[in-house]
Amino acid sequence: MLSTLFFIGMNNNNTDTDWIAIRQKKDELLNQVSDEYKRDYLNKSGIYSISIEGQLVYIGESQSMLERFISHEINVLFNLNQKDYKEDKYRVLREAHNAGLSIQCNMLEECENNKDTRLQIEKQWIQKESPVLNGGKRNEVYK
């Protein structure tokens, strides 16, 4: 694993779609990240995992790891009626967050910033690890 970003504990039950609030929250979270971490991961393309209490539950790909980690955090912590908020993975992550469980985003592999390449490598990781939120096996954290 190359790096980890832990979810920050915040709660907001706002139900109105507010893209300005989403942008402001993304900016706020990005400002909480060290300059060194931004320099190292802001524009890094690759494959990442999300774990709950150290148990791998999801694998994804992104052209910008740090921005993707923050987007996941927004979709877990803030109901602004964005489409992604309703996805099953975010429901599971919200339940974990609300239960006080540790959620981590980890960069698994840096790769070239080419969507087809990232999707191919992501598929290999998913086949290897079989995370539950990608349709894989259940584990102790998510049953």
Side-chain angles (χ1 to χ4, degrees):
M1 281 180 246
L2 296 176
S3 66
T4 301
L5 181 68
F6 289 90
F7 279 28
I8 300 165
M10 294 187 209
N11 291 304
N12 182 343
N13 293 320
N14 186 1
T15 58
D16 297 327
T17 301
D18 187 346
W19 298 109
I20 294 172
I22 291 171
R23 181 72 256 162
Q24 289 172 337
K25 194 52 66 180
K26 284 182 179 181
D27 290 344
E28 178 184 323
L29 293 172
L30 188 57
N31 286 333
Q32 294 176 19
V33 175
S34 73
D35 288 340
E36 179 181 0
Y37 197 91
K38 287 178 195 174
R39 185 180 57 251
D40 290 345
Y41 298 103
L42 180 59
N43 294 311
K44 297 291 182 175
S45 171
I47 312 305
Y48 66 92
S49 68
I50 299 177
S51 299
I52 299 173
E53 293 292 311
Q55 296 289 318
L56 177 72
V57 295
Y58 182 76
I59 290 176
E61 58 81 22
S62 180
Q63 66 182 2
S64 176
M65 288 291 109
L66 184 54
E67 288 185 16
R68 180 60 53 91
F69 293 171
I70 289 172
S71 291
H72 282 311
E73 189 165 356
I74 294 291
N75 285 320
V76 169
L77 301 178
F78 300 97
N79 181 3
L80 300 172
N81 282 337
Q82 64 274 32
K83 174 186 70 138
D84 293 343
Y85 182 86
K86 297 170 178 68
E87 290 182 14
D88 189 50
K89 70 182 166 205
Y90 294 119
R91 179 191 55 78
V92 170
L93 294 171
R94 271 192 301 282
E95 288 173 1
H97 171 75
N98 291 339
L101 301 177
S102 173
I103 302 171
Q104 305 89 33
C105 293
N106 301 299
M107 185 169 173
L108 297 172
E109 180 176 341
E110 186 176 346
C111 58
E112 99 181 59
N113 191 5
N114 174 286
K115 182 76 168 177
D116 291 335
T117 300
R118 290 193 318 266
L119 289 172
Q120 180 181 22
I121 295 170
E122 175 193 35
K123 182 178 178 180
Q124 292 168 355
W125 273 97
I126 291 170
Q127 288 173 342
K128 176 184 172 190
E129 299 294 336
S130 192
V132 66
L133 296 179
N134 295 97
K137 64 184 182 244
R138 304 278 183 202
N139 60 42
E140 292 180 21
V141 172
Y142 180 79
K143 298 179 182 183

